[in-house]
Amino acid sequence: MSTTLSTNRPSGGAPSEGDHPHRSPLTRLQHLLHAQATIGPAVVLLLAVIVFSLLSTRFLQPANISLVLQQVAVVGTIAVGQTIIILTAGIDLSCGAIMVLTSIVMAKVSAEHGLPGVLALLLGFLVGAGCGLVNGLLVTRLKLPPFIVTLGTLNVFFALNLWYSGSATIRGTDMPALLLWTGQTFTIGGTRVTYGSIGMVLLVALVAFVLKNTAWGRHIYATGDDAEAARLSGIRTNRVLLSAYGIAGVIYALSAWVLIGRIASASPQAGQLENLDSITAVVIGGTSLFGGRGAVVGSLLGALIVGVFRNGLALARVDVLWQTLAVGVLVIVAVSLDQWIRKVRP
Amino acid sequence: MTSPDIPVLQARGLIKRYGNVIALAGTDLDLMPGEILAVIGDNGAGKSSLIKALSGALVPDDGTITLDGKRVSFGSPIDARDSGIETVYQSLAVAPSLDIASNLFLGRERRRKGILGSVFRILDRDAMRQEARRQLDGLGIMTIQNPGQAVETLSGGQRQAVAVARAAAFGSRVIIMDEPTAALGVRESRAVLDLILHVRDQGLPVILISHNMPHVFEVADRIHIQRLGRRKAILDRANVSMSDAVAIMTGAMEPQDGDR
């Protein structure tokens, strides 16, 4: 018995699970945040609301809350699609361009070609899905990194949007009422709420449920967590990725509808920063850029945090440049926190 | 359904080339019913390629695979799984951030009964957790308390147990295990070896790939030695010493005729 090809490393054996008497409070916090990623952004949002309501009496007034909700509705809706992509360990820089392109398509086919509102919306959803599928095909067939794919298609879709719109804004008064419906309001407890913001909340609830309770949702997480492991487990990862980009495209088309209602027009120059703003919301919401970890509810909270910070600082008469700086700091803090949380040990 | 003399899983003349590199140079393999067949070989001998061909993760350029005497061809791991061949990969192929039950049912989730499942495709999480609980208890080794726990909170041995439980729960013909003890300490290795024996005793034949000779000699019934992309020898564990097996594996010794 001369040779063995491996050595046995002695170890203390399996640690027992369950009770952890030796954990420090910091480690406990790390484990808590690891198990419940949305606790962080929820606490931040709550603290921000408390602080800003102390700084300005106007902050909690219904009109102001309504304003924040309206400001957040577009980016909050986009962030739902962005979350799905980021959960697969991807990223979508083209989301804003897809939104603008679909908003122009919806507006133009109805305003200039007389298509009824319902058909214009459906056509917009088809265009959104098509754009998303182009991204998905490039990612899955050509195996290009999502960052590069969507950087390219960002320019392609934006150029298509300029070409199709002739760089001209389409006025809301020329559109059917259905396209502008997302900007209509109703009143709850003295606060005027747009249907667009309600749509955003319902979309978040729906997607959160689907991600948690369907096989497709589990496969999104598994693919983002470890694509090779998912493939070996029998998940058709390319199909999962393709469907993720396609569904994100449809969600961007929904955000285009919200956008039209919000600005009561369709502008080819709108939404150019929505890609970075949506990534900001997703990251602040606790979803990991490395994929497989996070929740769509967090992204809504992230969008609200950004909205509340900008609004609250403006009410406190802080210069807009400091609002931007605050959002930047939030992103850095959120990603650092994610890195720390990911280092959790059993 | 199976007779003791007919291999459950058989490979003949498998060839796989990667450019100029020949990973499999016409290799054979025979797995008999109810046995643990260890596959050993030096680095680059083609162990991994052979296992991937059997588990559908790789499509061989040439050669045949038969399962229970019937010719099969696997285009993907899903095909092999559908035929009853389950593989525990060295990388474990688990999604660390998902819980144990989700991992156990990854890729074949159970849906609710009725319209909720068929139309709305909603998962039956309770049933999956109960079944996961039952499977882990059935293997009888691990102290996992909650099937809703994320896999990344488990120790290496417990993760291995989850992967083995998944294979044992769904494998109906063959279980393939790739280096199941490579990353484990002594106590955890012991538990996983017991698990392998337990699976074999329940009637499922096991292919065990390992570098660890003591582990191979402890549990294997027969030993398949892979060398330079081919099967060099099949040894009966009872009739061979560890040093001879290593000598054949490294090319220092030629196998006797009876071992070919």
Side-chain angles (χ1 to χ4, degrees):
Chain A
M1 178 126 14
S2 57
T3 318
T4 57
L5 289 183
S6 80
T7 51
N8 280 325
R9 276 173 294 126
S11 84
S16 64
E17 293 296 323
D19 52 335
H20 304 276
H22 304 301
R23 281 183 180 174
S24 69
L26 200 62
T27 315
R28 280 170 196 274
L29 178 68
Q30 191 184 20
H31 277 81
L32 179 69
L33 292 174
H34 188 261
Q36 293 294 334
T38 43
I39 288 182
V43 170
V44 171
L45 181 61
L46 193 66
L47 289 177
V49 167
I50 292 170
V51 169
F52 288 124
S53 58
L54 293 176
L55 285 177
S56 164
T57 50
R58 280 168 55 202
F59 181 77
L60 276 183
Q61 278 174 8
N64 191 52
I65 292 173
S66 169
L67 181 67
V68 172
L69 283 176
Q70 286 178 44
Q71 286 168 338
V72 162
V74 174
V75 72
T77 308
I78 288 198
V80 175
Q82 185 74 261
T83 309
I84 296 174
I85 303 292
I86 290 181
L87 282 175
T88 68
I91 196 141
D92 194 346
L93 299 176
S94 70
C95 54
I98 295 177
M99 172 183 73
V100 177
L101 177 61
T102 52
S103 76
I104 292 292
V105 168
M106 288 173 180
K108 191 155 174 172
V109 294
S110 57
E112 291 188 11
H113 305 292
L115 231 63
V118 179
L119 289 183
L121 279 180
L122 278 177
L123 195 64
F125 290 151
L126 279 179
V127 171
C131 292
L133 289 175
V134 167
N135 284 337
L137 283 172
L138 290 170
V139 168
T140 55
R141 302 293 156 207
L142 297 187
K143 309 281 177 206
L144 299 175
F147 184 91
I148 299 300
V149 167
T150 57
L151 183 62
T153 56
L154 153 68
N155 291 295
V156 171
F157 296 148
F158 192 70
L160 286 177
N161 143 63
L162 291 180
W163 163 74
Y164 185 62
S165 65
S167 298
T169 299
I170 299 154
R171 285 175 306 166
T173 46
D174 297 337
M175 296 179 209
L178 181 65
L179 288 190
L180 300 162
W181 177 76
T182 51
Q184 303 293 309
T185 58
F186 64 101
T187 309
I188 315 175
T191 310
R192 287 157 64 81
V193 182
T194 61
Y195 290 103
S197 351
I198 295 300
M200 167 185 71
V201 174
L202 291 179
L203 179 70
V204 167
L206 175 70
V207 173
F209 182 83
V210 167
L211 284 176
K212 193 174 169 62
N213 289 296
T214 68
W216 181 79
R218 302 281 86 189
H219 294 174
I220 292 276
Y221 280 90
T223 302
D225 216 354
D226 186 340
E228 181 61 12
R231 196 182 69 82
L232 292 175
S233 298
I235 294 173
R236 292 175 169 85
T237 48
N238 276 347
R239 208 180 284 184
V240 171
L241 286 174
L242 192 61
S243 66
Y245 282 91
I247 285 174
V250 173
I251 292 172
Y252 303 149
L254 267 172
S255 73
W257 189 15
V258 178
L259 176 74
I260 293 174
R262 166 98 182 103
I263 61 179
S265 62
S267 162
Q269 301 295 339
Q272 296 199 41
L273 286 175
E274 299 293 343
N275 53 0
L276 298 183
D277 287 349
S278 65
I279 295 168
T280 303
V282 172
V283 167
I284 291 178
T287 294
S288 170
L289 284 173
F290 300 99
R293 187 185 315 278
V296 73
V297 175
S299 303
L300 174 60
L301 295 174
L304 285 170
I305 288 170
V306 173
V308 161
F309 260 75
R310 286 194 174 279
N311 175 273
L313 290 171
L315 286 182
R317 299 185 189 288
V318 176
D319 193 306
V320 73
L321 73 93
W322 300 114
Q323 302 171 19
T324 308
L325 185 133
V327 172
V329 170
L330 271 178
V331 170
I332 305 283
V333 169
V335 175
S336 313
L337 199 62
D338 175 53
Q339 293 282 21
W340 178 62
I341 293 168
R342 289 174 67 87
K343 287 192 200 130
V344 71
R345 284 179 209 295
Chain B
M1 191 159 130
T2 53
S3 106
D5 301 328
I6 298 175
V8 179
L9 187 65
Q10 188 175 55
R12 284 293 173 266
L14 294 184
I15 293 175
K16 181 68 186 179
R17 298 184 200 87
Y18 296 100
N20 288 329
V21 180
I22 298 172
L24 295 176
T27 195
D28 301 335
L29 179 134
D30 294 275
L31 176 69
M32 306 308 284
E35 76 167 349
I36 296 177
L37 177 72
V39 174
I40 64 173
D42 224 338
N43 290 332
K47 297 190 302 287
S48 297
S49 299
L50 173 59
I51 289 331
K52 282 183 177 165
L54 296 176
S55 62
L58 170 161
V59 181
D61 299 329
D62 202 0
T64 60
I65 299 171
T66 54
L67 183 65
D68 292 326
K70 283 196 277 296
R71 177 98 184 255
V72 290
S73 76
F74 301 139
S76 75
I78 299 166
D79 293 345
R81 278 169 37 156
D82 289 346
S83 302
I85 300 177
E86 283 289 325
T87 307
V88 181
Y89 295 95
Q90 188 173 3
S91 58
L92 292 184
V94 291
S97 72
L98 295 185
D99 60 272
I100 294 168
S102 291
N103 265 291
L104 221 62
F105 287 88
L106 201 57
R108 48 196 151 199
E109 288 80 1
R110 294 223 181 126
R111 294 203 291 265
R112 294 248 190 100
K113 290 191 175 65
I115 193 167
L116 281 178
S118 58
V119 177
F120 295 102
R121 313 190 78 76
I122 293 170
L123 298 177
D124 195 342
R125 298 169 71 86
D126 288 342
M128 289 196 289
R129 287 195 179 182
Q130 278 168 23
E131 180 64 18
R133 172 84 274 167
R134 212 177 60 77
Q135 285 295 337
L136 292 169
D137 284 349
L139 290 170
I141 56 154
M142 290 296 162
T143 54
I144 294 165
Q145 287 163 351
N146 173 15
Q149 205 175 341
V151 163
E152 63 200 344
T153 64
L154 302 178
S155 69
Q158 289 173 322
R159 287 187 201 200
Q160 192 80 47
V162 171
V164 174
R166 178 166 68 180
F170 293 101
S172 56
R173 306 301 309 131
V174 175
I175 290 186
I176 300 173
M177 299 200 198
D178 190 5
E179 299 281 3
T181 56
L184 302 183
V186 173
R187 232 176 72 188
E188 294 192 316
S189 292
R190 181 69 256 157
V192 168
L193 292 176
D194 286 344
L195 207 54
I196 296 171
L197 291 169
H198 185 80
V199 167
R200 194 264 319 263
D201 293 344
Q202 291 189 330
L204 270 179
V206 176
I207 298 177
L208 168 70
I209 298 92
S210 183
H211 266 101
N212 189 310
M213 290 300 139
H215 290 171
V216 165
F217 273 78
E218 195 177 331
V219 297
D221 298 306
R222 293 190 309 144
I223 298 167
H224 165 131
I225 299 182
Q226 187 78 10
R227 179 165 166 73
L228 303 176
R230 286 198 178 83
R231 179 167 70 184
K232 188 73 179 173
I234 311 169
L235 309 170
D236 204 325
R237 184 210 21 185
N239 303 332
V240 67
S241 72
M242 211 181 283
S243 52
D244 284 355
V246 171
I248 295 170
M249 192 177 99
T250 56
M253 189 176 110
E254 284 298 307
Q256 294 162 353
D257 287 344
D259 297 333
R260 296 302 291 261

